[in-house]
Structure formats: structure tokens, C-alpha cells
């Protein structure tokens, strides 16, 4: 067994928001994860939801892909461009095949995926294990095979499956429904990162048999939500490892124009702790409006290297207590410099 690698406080770490907790990297081995060939390290990319909510279009998604390249974020490892809710409009009455909202995506999802791939990036899509998505678009319940086949035909690389219009606390049913989509995706023969979005810690114990990552809490829209997710994930390190990751939700930037945002110090704290927790690093911000502070945060190669370490060990809390009940240390951090 390797000894734990302890991260202690210091001037540089304090600037990265690690003063609230002391973390150690747990090196214990984990059982073999779902073998679909992807997700050996936590996913890095961008997601549309925190920026656009339901006002999402093909043009906006293309802008995220372009910005991932032009900002240099792609060069430091960010590769997924993930379309969240509100892309689906209906189902074919005969075949059950899901149909895009052609007003927002006039070229179709396949054309959008091709655009993303042409920039050396990967394309992700969203669905729900219930009969509807969270925004009442068509869900995948009963249509898992058709949807998986559509994703494969569109050359999708990442699938997020939410839990709206389903009983979120019925563990047995939830696991069965996620297993159904897992099998449908695997049956296509196309490797697709499978992200479970069930909002509960009970997924941690079985998540690696179902997908590549699993949401352990509700959405992170503000600092209080981030502290809740940190606290929940502090107890789940033993369940994470190569190909299988606890997911405390997306990264929230500091741009007040985005639908979800935090202070500059809070967003940097979240990024630093997420990196040590071996969490997926999915930027929830409009990259076309990314300020200099957030770009500097998300571009930090040393912090990303901690997150992407090949050992696949999630950091654990070895001192401190419940962050949800603690003071707002990040709010008292040095102020962010004015963006140039």
C-alpha cells in the first residue's frame, strides 16, 4: 500500500481556497469499474446548463466549442462539449425515435456533433431516466434502445441521464433504470462516457457497475450548494477510482451574467477542492464571456494534474468538520483582481 499524500496549508494553497480543509490522497485500490473504455480519469469539459438554461441553440453550442479551443482550455485537457436539457422536442409516433428541436438545432444533433469533432473535441448529450426531462422534454423511460442507437448514430461521446419525472428516492427502481440505459449504450458498440445524475449518495456504492460518474447531491448553483457537495463527497472516497467517479456537480464561475455564479474566491475554491476530490471538471459558464480570473482558475495546469493523476485516488478530509455548518472562509479570501 502507498502512504497517504498529505496536502498541508501554505501561502499558495491558501490562495487556492484550501484553507477550509486539510486533504489527503487515499491510495487504497478499488474494484474494477465498468469497462467501457472511457473515463479512466475524471471528465474535463464544458456544460451548457449554467449558462444558457433552456435558451440553448446549435449556434451557442458551437460557440462553446470554439471558445474551448481559442481560450487554450482544450490544450490543458478540456475536451467534452456537453449539451444539457432542452434539445429534444418530440418522438416519432411510429418508431419512438427522439426528434430534435429543429428551430434551435436546424442542422440536427448529428451536424452539431460533427462540428465539435472537427475541432478535436468530444460531444455530450442529455436525457432523463424518467418519462420526461427536468424541463418536460421527452425522457428515455421505455425508449433506452432507440435513444442509445440515436446517440451512436450521431457519434455522441458522453451521455448524462437525469432523474426528473422519476421517483428520486426509490433506489431499486433507479438502479434498474440506469442499468437499462447502460446496457443500451454498451450494445451500440460505441464507447460513450455514461454520467448518472441521480442526486443521491447511495449511487456511490454501486455506481462503478453502472457508469463512469454519478451525481451525489443536487445542483450546485451557489456557494452553500458547493459546501453541501464537498461535505457529502468527503465520505465517499473509497468508491472512486479509475473509470468511476463521484460527481458533486458542475463548476460554477464568477460571471454574474451566467444563470449560476459565485464570487471569484468561491469559484476558485470550488475548482481547487473538486480537483483534489477527483471530481469531473465540467465548466458551467459561457466561455465566450469568461473573465480573466475564471480563465486563470480553470487553466491552472498543476491543479488539473492533481485531478487527472493516473492513480485515480480521491482526496479525503483528514481534519476539519462539516463544511455546510462552517463559516464562509472563501468569502474572506483576498479579492480577485480586476479582469484586464
Amino acid at each position: 500500500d502507498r502512504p497517504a499524500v498529505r496536502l498541508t496549508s501554505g501561502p499558495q494553497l491558501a490562495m487556492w481556497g484550501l484553507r477550509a480543509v486539510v486533504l489527503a490522497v487515499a491510495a487504497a485500490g478499488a474494484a474494477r469499474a465498468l469497462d467501457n473504455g472511457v473515463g479512466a480519469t475524471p471528465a474535463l469539459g464544458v456544460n451548457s446548463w449554467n449558462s444558457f438554461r433552456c435558451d440553448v441553440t446549435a449556434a451557442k453550442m458551437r460557440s462553446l466549442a470554439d471558445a474551448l479551443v481559442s481560450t487554450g482550455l482544450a490544450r490543458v485537457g478540456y475536451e467534452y462539449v456537453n449539451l444539457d436539457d432542452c434539445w429534444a422536442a418530440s418522438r416519432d409516433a411510429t418508431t419512438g425515435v427522439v426528434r430534435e428541436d429543429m428551430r434551435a438545432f436546424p442542422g440536427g444533433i448529428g451536424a452539431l456533433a460533427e462540428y465539435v469533432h472537427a475541432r478535436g473535441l468530444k460531444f455530450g448529450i442529455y436525457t432523463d431516466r424518467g418519462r420526461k426531462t427536468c424541463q418536460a422534454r421527452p425522457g428515455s423511460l421505455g425508449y433506452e434502445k432507440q435513444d442509445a442507437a440515436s446517440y451512436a448514430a450521431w457519434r455522441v461521446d458522453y451521455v448524462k441521464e437525469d432523474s426528473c419525472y422519476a421517483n428520486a428516492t426509490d433506489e431499486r427502481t433507479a438502479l434498474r433504470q440506469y442499468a437499462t440505459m447502460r446496457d443500451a449504450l454498451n450494445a451500440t458498440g460505441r464507447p460513450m462516457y455514461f454520467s448518472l445524475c441521480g442526486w443521491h449518495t447511495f449511487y456511490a456504492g454501486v455506481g462503478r457497475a453502472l457508469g463512469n460518474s454519478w451525481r451525489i447531491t443536487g445542483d450546485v448553483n451557489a456557494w452553500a450548494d458547493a459546501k453541501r457537495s464537498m461535505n457529502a463527497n468527503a465520505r465517499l472516497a473509497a468508491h472512486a477510482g479509475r473509470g468511476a467517479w463521484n460527481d458533486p456537480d458542475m463548476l460554477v464561475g464568477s460571471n454574474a451574467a451566467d444563470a449560476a455564479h459565485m464570487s471569484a474566491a468561491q469559484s476558485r475554491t470550488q475548482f481547487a477542492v473538486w480537483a483534489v476530490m477527483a471530481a469531473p471538471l465540467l465548466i458551467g459558464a459561457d466561455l465566450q464571456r469568461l473573465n480573466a480570473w475564471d480563465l486563470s482558475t480553470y487553466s491552472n495546469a498543476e491543479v488539473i494534474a492533481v485531478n487527472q493523476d493516473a492513480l485515480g485516488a480521491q482526496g479525503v478530509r483528514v481534519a476539519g468538520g462539516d463544511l455546510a455548518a462552517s463559516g464562509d472562509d472563501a468569502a474572506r479570501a483576498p479579492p480577485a483582481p480586476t479582469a484586464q
Side-chain angles (χ1 to χ4, degrees):
D1 292 341
R2 299 192 185 193
V5 178
R6 190 178 297 264
L7 300 182
T8 56
S9 61
Q12 290 181 323
L13 294 181
M15 281 299 294
W16 281 89
L18 296 181
R19 295 177 300 174
V21 290
V22 180
L23 296 163
V25 175
R32 187 176 180 217
L34 173 67
D35 186 14
N36 61 358
V38 296
T41 56
L44 275 69
V46 62
N47 181 284
S48 66
W49 184 249
N50 283 351
S51 301
F52 307 134
R53 295 297 199 238
C54 237
D55 186 25
V56 64
T57 64
K60 290 179 178 179
M61 293 304 300
R62 289 193 297 267
S63 77
L64 289 183
D66 292 341
L68 208 58
V69 175
S70 65
T71 58
L73 289 167
R75 288 197 301 272
V76 295
Y78 294 88
E79 59 180 349
Y80 289 103
V81 179
N82 291 351
L83 171 61
D84 210 274
D85 203 350
C86 300
W87 64 268
S90 61
R91 289 193 179 277
D92 184 277
T94 302
T95 65
V97 171
V98 66
R99 300 301 187 196
E100 310 96 313
D101 181 342
M102 296 304 292
R103 292 173 298 178
F105 299 89
I109 297 299
L112 177 58
E114 183 177 357
Y115 185 94
V116 171
H117 290 150
R119 278 139 191 83
L121 304 171
K122 297 178 180 178
F123 179 71
I125 207 164
Y126 168 99
T127 187
D128 194 287
R129 67 180 177 88
R131 60 187 181 85
K132 296 181 181 180
T133 70
C134 294
Q135 298 300 311
R137 303 300 181 99
S140 287
L141 183 62
Y143 296 95
E144 290 86 354
K145 290 183 179 180
Q146 292 99 317
D147 288 355
S150 292
Y151 305 156
W154 294 332
R155 298 181 63 213
V156 166
D157 305 293
Y158 182 117
V159 177
K160 171 184 173 182
E161 189 169 42
D162 220 330
S163 287
C164 289
Y165 290 89
N167 188 332
T169 60
D170 181 351
E171 182 175 353
R172 184 185 299 271
T173 299
L175 299 181
R176 183 178 69 249
Q177 290 173 341
Y178 277 125
T180 300
M181 180 57 85
R182 172 203 63 194
D183 294 344
L185 293 173
N186 286 345
T188 68
R190 178 172 179 80
M192 289 182 262
Y193 184 111
F194 188 29
S195 169
L196 283 57
C197 187
W199 329 317
H200 281 281
T201 55
F202 65 65
Y203 289 100
V206 295
R208 65 175 48 251
L210 297 171
N212 300 105
S213 63
W214 46 88
R215 277 279 297 280
I216 56 170
T217 60
D219 291 356
V220 172
N221 291 300
W223 179 238
D225 303 327
K227 291 198 293 182
R228 177 200 63 213
S229 290
M230 292 179 207
N231 190 59
N233 206 17
R235 302 177 176 89
L236 303 176
H239 302 295
R242 286 180 59 81
W245 313 103
N246 294 305
D247 180 3
D249 199 19
M250 286 176 279
L251 299 170
V252 177
S254 65
N255 188 341
D258 286 329
H261 59 274
M262 302 179 187
S263 74
Q266 290 165 354
S267 66
R268 182 162 288 188
T269 300
Q270 184 201 21
F271 178 72
V273 177
W274 260 230
V276 175
M277 293 193 304
L281 300 180
L282 298 174
I283 301 171
D286 184 351
L287 300 183
Q288 294 283 3
R289 301 182 298 188
L290 200 64
N291 59 46
W293 175 267
D294 287 347
L295 179 58
S296 175
T297 297
Y298 299 144
S299 299
N300 190 296
E302 292 180 87
V303 177
I304 293 170
V306 172
N307 178 261
Q308 295 291 295
D309 184 79
L311 181 63
Q314 176 177 321
V316 298
R317 185 169 61 199
V318 297
D322 186 348
L323 290 174
S326 69
D328 193 353
D329 289 345
R332 296 195 294 273
T338 303
Q340 299 299 314

